[in-house]
Amino acid sequence: MYHVKHEHPFRRGYNAIIEEDERIDNAMMDFGILLLQAGECHECHLGKERAFLLMRGSVTFRFKGCERRAGRRSLLEESPAVLHVPQGVLVQIVATTDAEIAVMRTQHETTFE
């Protein structure tokens, strides 16, 4: 079991919790929390497969010429909104309100739509 220890509140931007290459518990993935303020845009273009789980707030996901809006007020009372992309796809996340997003990333060469 991996225990998250964070001495300070998360800051704006990406906050790493575990990295794929860490040997602790062999997580085999990156996991972190992305905090965005309303109007802020985050770009991610990595050679890793990625999933972005909107936990709270409203955002617009832009990827592969598509644009999808998502909103969520409650992590527990509403269905999840997730963007899942293969490696190398440019993703832009534009926050229309303050937003909190869980980010999972891993090495995976398979491509998919």
Side-chain angles (χ1 to χ4, degrees), residues 4 6 19 23 34 51 55 74-75 85-86 100 105 110 112:
V4 176
H6 237 286
E19 299 289 328
R23 297 291 177 224
L34 175 63
M55 295 192 298
S74 171
L75 180 64
V85 296
E100 187 172 348
R105 311 182 300 206
T110 302
F112 51 88

Side-chain angles (χ1 to χ4, degrees), residues 73-90:
R73 291 181 309 253
S74 171
L75 180 64
L76 301 176
E77 296 173 4
E78 295 178 283
S79 296
V82 179
L83 173 63
H84 183 205
V85 296
Q87 66 179 0
V89 171
L90 172 64

Side-chain angles (χ1 to χ4, degrees), residues 26-47:
N26 197 22
M28 298 176 60
M29 67 185 312
D30 299 338
F31 178 78
I33 302 296
L34 175 63
L35 296 182
L36 299 175
Q37 287 185 325
E40 196 170 4
C41 179
H42 175 80
E43 284 194 6
C44 182
H45 187 269
L46 292 175

Side-chain angles (χ1 to χ4, degrees), residues 6-101:
H6 237 286
E7 296 178 17
H8 306 288
F10 291 135
R11 66 192 188 296
R12 279 182 36 216
Y14 180 73
N15 297 270
I17 294 174
I18 191 164
E19 299 289 328
E20 183 175 16
D21 58 355
E22 290 181 22
R23 297 291 177 224
I24 299 171
D25 295 327
N26 197 22
M28 298 176 60
M29 67 185 312
D30 299 338
F31 178 78
I33 302 296
L34 175 63
L35 296 182
L36 299 175
Q37 287 185 325
E40 196 170 4
C41 179
H42 175 80
E43 284 194 6
C44 182
H45 187 269
L46 292 175
K48 292 184 176 188
E49 179 178 339
R50 288 151 292 148
F52 301 91
L53 168 67
L54 179 61
M55 295 192 298
R56 104 181 138 72
S58 294
V59 300
T60 299
F61 291 112
R62 295 181 182 149
F63 58 100
K64 297 174 88 175
C66 298
E67 188 171 286
R68 299 287 188 270
R69 291 189 177 106
R72 197 170 186 197
R73 291 181 309 253
S74 171
L75 180 64
L76 301 176
E77 296 173 4
E78 295 178 283
S79 296
V82 179
L83 173 63
H84 183 205
V85 296
Q87 66 179 0
V89 171
L90 172 64
V91 172
Q92 293 178 315
I93 304 171
V94 180
T96 50
T97 67
D98 290 354
E100 187 172 348
I101 301 159

